[in-house]
Amino acid sequence: EAKRFIEGRRHDRIGLVVFAGQSVTQCPLTVDHQAILSLLDKIQMGMLEDGTAIGVGLANAVNRLKNSEAKSKVVILLTDGVNNAGEVDPITAAELAKQYGIRVYTIGVGKQGESILPIQDPRFGLRYLKVETQIDEKVLQEISRKTGGVYFRAQDARGLREIFQQIDQLEKTEIQVDKYVYYD
């Protein structure tokens, strides 16, 4: 669903920050959507230390956007957990986003109760574990409220698609695109 969203935002500069127990910039802001889609495909469970560092992930995204000259600066924060790692509190990161005029849409992903989590085991290959879904909805709502965004809850792929469609409608900005053709 994230791929569909990116493909639909043809003229936007988009970046990708990945977080678990720590945060990395998978792709800086770019209009090269093929590059970002390729890097999105390379995200795998276990590529970062285990945990959920929502504050660090958001702070990293804010750092990438803070100097942007764009009229609209937006972070879409997807998480399936509760902040339990990192040195930056999520509310502190939200204050930082607000300071730079960055709107944050938060999305809690996962069904209530138990979910199936794919785990790559070096000994037995791909295994599936049942885990309890815990999403700190109060913190996600507070992040969105502070920054002028909206909190959403997605329990399946269809719900996530609808959320991305809503965000797409909320974040429309008129732009002028100049195309040049060189004839010889």
Side-chain angles (χ1 to χ4, degrees), residues 102-106 141 143-152:
I102 299 169
R103 191 169 25 264
V104 182
Y105 293 98
T106 56
Q141 290 168 350
I143 290 169
S144 291
R145 187 192 64 72
K146 278 188 179 298
T147 62
V150 179
Y151 168 71
F152 299 95

Side-chain angles (χ1 to χ4, degrees), residues 71-90:
K71 289 180 185 176
S72 177
K73 295 184 271 189
V74 174
V75 169
I76 300 174
L77 189 152
L78 282 89
T79 184
D80 65 351
V82 175
N83 190 72
N84 61 14
E87 297 171 3
V88 180
D89 178 68

Side-chain angles (χ1 to χ4, degrees), residues 1-16:
E1 294 309 320
K3 284 182 179 181
R4 286 184 192 183
F5 181 77
I6 292 167
E7 289 167 348
R9 306 293 297 199
R10 292 187 356 208
H11 301 292
D12 290 355
R13 290 188 316 151
I14 299 175
L16 181 61

Side-chain angles (χ1 to χ4, degrees), residues 51-54 79-85 90 133-137 139-140:
T52 305
I54 295 171
T79 184
D80 65 351
V82 175
N83 190 72
N84 61 14
T133 300
Q134 295 179 328
I135 298 173
D136 195 343
E137 293 187 284
V139 166
L140 296 177

